[in-house]
C-alpha cells in the first residue's frame, strides 16, 4: 500500500493544520511573499484542500476567512523572525508544540547543532510523515518527532526524546492556545516554564479579546472558529511575567505594517494589547 492510499485523512482540531498549510501555500505563490514554504502545497493537497477549498457561503463568511488567512501569514512571519533571533542568541533547542504541518525544520536555515522537536498527536505526525516521504523532504537540522497529547504527559515524552531542560530552548505555540480551555493554558505555561533554562525564548499566538464572539458565534460546526475556546488575558505581558517570562506584545496591525502589508481598514474598536507574543526567560 502506498503512503497516499494508507494516509489517514485530517479530522477534528488537527485538520485545521492542513487549512493553515493551504494559506502558507497561497502566500508562497505571491511574488512578494513574506516567507516561502515549499511543502505547504503538498500538505494541503494531501488533505484535499488544493488547488481550492469550498468557497464561503456568504460575504461575511468570506471576509472572516480572509481575516483569518491574513493573520496566519503575519503570525508565520513573526514567529520565523523570533526563531532566527533565538538562534542568533545561541539557542540550539527548538520545541514546536502542536506542530501540525509546520515545515520550519525543512524550510529555514538552522545553525549547526540545532535540534528541533515537533510535539503533536500520532495522527497528524503520521499524516505528515507520509507527505514528507512522498516529497523526499530533507530536514536542515536534527528533527525529532514526539507523539504526545498536550493534555497528557507530553513533558515526559519530550524528555524521553532527548530534550535537555538544563540548556535554553525556544518554544513555539502557534495557533494552539485558542483551542485550549484556560486551565489547560495555565498548565501548559507552567510545564514550559519548568523546562526552560535562563536564556530560553517563547513565541505565542493568542486569540484577541472578542475574537470568539466575532468569529465563533455563527461558525460552521467543525470549522476552526467553532472550536475556539480561549482568548488572551487583558494584560498578557503581566500574565507571562507571573510565569517568569519577560514578554513583548504586538498587534497584528502593527506587525502587518512593519512587514509592508498594512491593514487599510481602520480599527472598529480601541486596540488593546496584541496577541503576537515574544518572551525571554531571564
Amino acid at each position: 500500500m502506498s503512503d497516499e492510499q494508507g494516509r489517514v485523512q485530517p479530522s477534528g482540531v488537527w485538520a485545521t493544520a492542513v487549512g493553515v498549510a493551504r494559506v502558507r501555500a497561497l502566500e508562497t505563490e505571491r511574488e512578494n511573499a513574506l516567507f516561502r514554504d515549499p511543502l505547504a502545497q503538498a500538505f494541503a493537497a494531501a488533505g484535499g484542500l488544493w488547488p481550492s477549498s469550498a468557497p464561503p457561503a456568504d460575504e461575511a463568511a468570506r471576509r472572516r476567512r480572509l481575516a483569518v488567512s491574513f493573520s496566519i501569514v503575519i503570525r508565520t512571519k513573526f514567529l520565523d523572525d523570533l526563531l532566527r533571533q533565538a538562534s542568533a542568541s545561541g539557542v540550539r533547542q527548538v520545541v514546536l508544540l502542536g506542530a501540525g504541518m509546520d515545515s520550519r525544520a525543512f524550510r529555514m536555515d538552522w545553525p549547526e547543532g540545532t535540534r528541533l522537536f515537533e510535539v503533536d498527536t500520532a495522527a497528524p505526525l503520521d499524516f505528515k510523515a507520509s507527505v514528507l516521504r512522498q516529497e523526499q523532504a530533507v530536514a536542515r537540522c536534527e528533527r525529532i518527532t514526539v507523539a504526545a497529547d498536550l493534555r497528557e504527559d507530553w513533558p515526559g515524552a519530550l524528555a524521553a526524546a532527548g530534550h535537555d531542560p538544563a540548556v535554553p530552548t525556544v518554544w513555539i505555540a502557534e495557533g494552539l492556545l485558542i483551542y485550549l480551555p484556560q486551565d489547560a493554558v495555565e498548565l501548559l505555561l507552567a510545564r514550559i516554564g519548568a523546562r526552560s533554562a535562563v536564556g530560553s525564548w517563547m513565541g505565542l499566538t493568542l486569540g484577541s479579546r472578542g475574537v470568539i464572539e466575532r468569529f465563533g458565534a455563527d461558525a460552521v460546526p467543525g470549522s476552526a472558529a467553532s472550536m475556539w475556546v480561549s482568548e488572551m488575558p487583558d494584560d498578557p505581558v503581566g500574565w507571562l511575567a507571573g510565569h517568569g517570562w519577560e514578554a513583548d506584545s504586538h498587534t497584528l496591525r502593527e506587525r502587518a505594517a512593519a512587514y509592508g502589508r498594512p491593514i487599510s481598514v481602520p480599527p472598529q474598536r480601541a486596540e488593546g494589547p496584541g496577541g503576537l507574543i515574544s518572551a525571554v526567560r531571564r
Side-chain angles (χ1 to χ4, degrees):
M1 181 182 295
S2 69
D3 274 336
E4 188 170 351
Q5 291 171 325
R7 192 177 288 148
V8 175
Q9 288 303 295
S11 62
V13 173
W14 80 265
T16 65
V18 179
V20 171
R22 179 179 180 275
V23 172
R24 289 177 174 156
L26 290 169
E27 176 65 17
T28 297
E29 291 190 329
R30 290 178 61 122
E31 184 177 348
N32 62 339
L34 294 181
F35 55 84
R36 304 283 180 187
D37 188 341
L39 290 169
Q41 187 179 124
F43 291 136
L49 296 184
W50 194 268
S52 63
S53 59
D58 55 46
E59 179 61 19
R62 187 187 73 84
R63 289 197 302 269
R64 286 195 296 270
R65 175 182 284 191
L66 288 174
V68 171
S69 296
F70 184 79
S71 71
I72 289 169
V73 169
I74 299 304
R75 82 186 192 198
T76 299
K77 166 67 171 169
F78 174 77
L79 293 174
D80 282 0
D81 288 351
L82 183 148
L83 284 162
R84 292 188 183 100
Q85 291 166 358
S87 291
S89 77
V91 179
R92 296 293 179 266
Q93 278 191 140
V94 181
V95 178
L96 308 179
L97 295 169
M101 301 303 110
D102 191 300
S103 68
R104 289 184 171 99
F106 302 88
R107 68 175 177 83
M108 293 181 66
D109 293 323
W110 297 100
E112 184 177 353
T114 298
R115 308 178 78 211
L116 186 149
F117 299 85
E118 295 188 8
V119 183
D120 213 326
T121 53
L125 288 177
D126 290 346
F127 174 93
K128 187 174 188 175
S130 72
V131 175
L132 293 173
R133 285 192 296 268
Q134 169 190 296
E135 298 299 309
Q136 300 182 337
V138 178
R140 298 182 179 185
C141 59
E142 182 182 358
R143 173 178 176 261
I144 303 163
T145 58
V146 182
D149 191 316
L150 292 174
R151 297 167 297 183
E152 298 174 3
D153 183 25
W154 64 266
L158 183 62
H163 177 260
D164 184 356
V167 299
T169 300
V170 53
W171 305 85
I172 300 293
E174 179 177 5
L176 169 64
L177 302 190
I178 198 168
Y179 294 100
L180 301 177
Q182 193 57 45
D183 59 344
V185 171
E186 293 294 334
L187 178 59
L188 186 77
L189 264 291
R191 285 172 160 178
I192 290 172
R195 288 152 186 84
S196 296
V198 170
S200 291
W201 291 59
M202 182 167 61
L204 306 177
T205 63
L206 304 173
S208 59
R209 303 296 295 178
V211 71
I212 294 175
E213 179 182 355
R214 295 197 305 275
F215 285 75
D218 57 353
V220 176
S223 66
S226 71
M227 295 181 276
W228 294 348
V229 296
S230 177
E231 297 177 356
M232 71 179 187
D234 291 327
D235 178 13
V237 171
W239 170 61
L240 287 168
H243 282 280
W245 296 88
E246 184 178 302
D248 291 309
S249 169
H250 307 267
T251 66
L252 189 72
R253 185 178 295 272
E254 166 205 335
R255 289 293 86 204
Y259 302 150
R261 296 277 181 88
I263 300 173
S264 58
V265 179
Q268 297 181 345
R269 58 187 62 80
E271 289 196 317
L276 299 174
I277 308 294
S278 60
V280 179
R281 192 79 163 177
R282 301 298 187 189

